[in-house]
Amino acid sequence: MRLTHRYLPGASIITIDGEVDITTSRELENYIDLVRRSLDDQLIIDATRLSFLDSSGLAVLLAAAVLAQARGVAVHLAGLQPRVARILEITGAMPAIRAYDHVEQALAAVECTGGVPFTEPV
């Protein structure tokens, strides 16, 4: 698994490349805690290259979602692969995590909820 991040005003974007399972879920949890600038930031997960998610990885995402909701923000998953989306569907996790086809859609949704307009730095 490879994790990268970037910041936009009011949002932290984390890209997951690879698999999140029992051997890597703790790394994801630590990474989310480390790179999130503020608990009041929206958290956008670019899951375009997330090829597998097991129950331990799902628990990390749900814990992040609960914490975000307590602060009035959300966790947004973008670019879910069918296999990962199916796990979220069959476990009933979809209502807790907002899902979008593309990162741009997640960014637009965050802007519509009153976030700062996102413009990429040049």
Side-chain angles (χ1 to χ4, degrees), residues 45-92:
I45 306 286
D46 180 352
T48 306
R49 294 181 296 236
L50 174 62
S51 57
F52 178 78
L53 180 74
D54 77 356
S55 60
S56 64
L58 178 60
V60 169
L61 295 178
L62 289 174
V66 167
L67 180 59
Q69 289 171 356
R71 302 294 294 208
V73 293
V75 171
H76 308 264
L77 286 177
L80 290 174
Q81 298 301 313
R83 185 176 181 185
V84 175
R86 181 73 179 132
I87 296 214
L88 294 171
E89 289 170 15
I90 63 175
T91 59

Side-chain angles (χ1 to χ4, degrees), residues 4 12 35 43 57 81 85:
T4 57
S12 299
V35 303
L43 180 58
Q81 298 301 313

Side-chain angles (χ1 to χ4, degrees), residues 5 8 11 15 17 30 42 45 48 51 65-66 73-75 101:
H5 69 279
L8 295 174
T15 300
D17 189 347
N30 291 337
Q42 300 285 343
I45 306 286
T48 306
S51 57
V66 167
V73 293
V75 171
D101 291 335

